[in-house]
Amino acid sequence: IPMEKYDILYELASLYKIQNNLSDYEKTLLLIVSDDKNFYVNGKVSDFLYSVIKNIKSGISLDKLFLLYRCDSYNSIEAYFQLAQLYLEKNMKEKFLEVSIMGMLTSVTRIEQILKERELEYTYKNFNHFYYLAIQYSDIISWGIKNKIWQGFFNFGQAMELNNFDTLAKEIYTQNVIYSPEEYWQKTSREKLKRLAEE
């Protein structure tokens, strides 16, 4: 039943998007992620997300960020990235930051779970190593394309940039340039890096 619930909600969200009913589209996506207690609790940012944002504001590196945090609400990944795109288009910077963080952490956790099953001695060393291993598997690449994970990685960089966390933005854009399996996100990340270097 729970899986059916998510399927129905995603179908509903898709219909609302087609109808350009963005209000109900957002509400439906938020209903999907409401089961994730790492996101919001009683209408407020959870202690988990508050801690992540606090560390980002304090200047944490990309490597350490993904050493410290994991999130396993896998049914919410697609909803987080769809919300990220919506909030980006609406220029809602704080919301864009929150959902991008959650989508990114949950995606990394899911990919890492697969890597642990296949790489017997796998442990997280740094984001570079993680990304390199992830793209060694064609099914992970395909899953990432289908679920817009690689776009989500780029949007995470944009969320950092728009909220003035330029160091983190540069770090994720750099990783995308090197490793993104989708040429479009490699190219767009390269353009972003160039622009940031000129500022």
Side-chain angles (χ1 to χ4, degrees), residues 113-128:
Q113 183 189 37
I114 297 165
L115 291 177
K116 282 177 179 174
E117 289 166 5
R118 298 179 185 181
E119 306 269 337
L120 295 178
E121 295 180 7
Y122 173 84
T123 54
Y124 177 85
K125 295 176 183 174
N126 51 51
F127 194 78
N128 181 294

Side-chain angles (χ1 to χ4, degrees), residues 167-181:
T167 303
L168 262 180
K170 286 174 186 173
E171 286 186 84
I172 190 65
Y173 288 148
T174 300
Q175 294 300 314
N176 284 338
V177 169
I178 300 168
Y179 295 115
S180 181

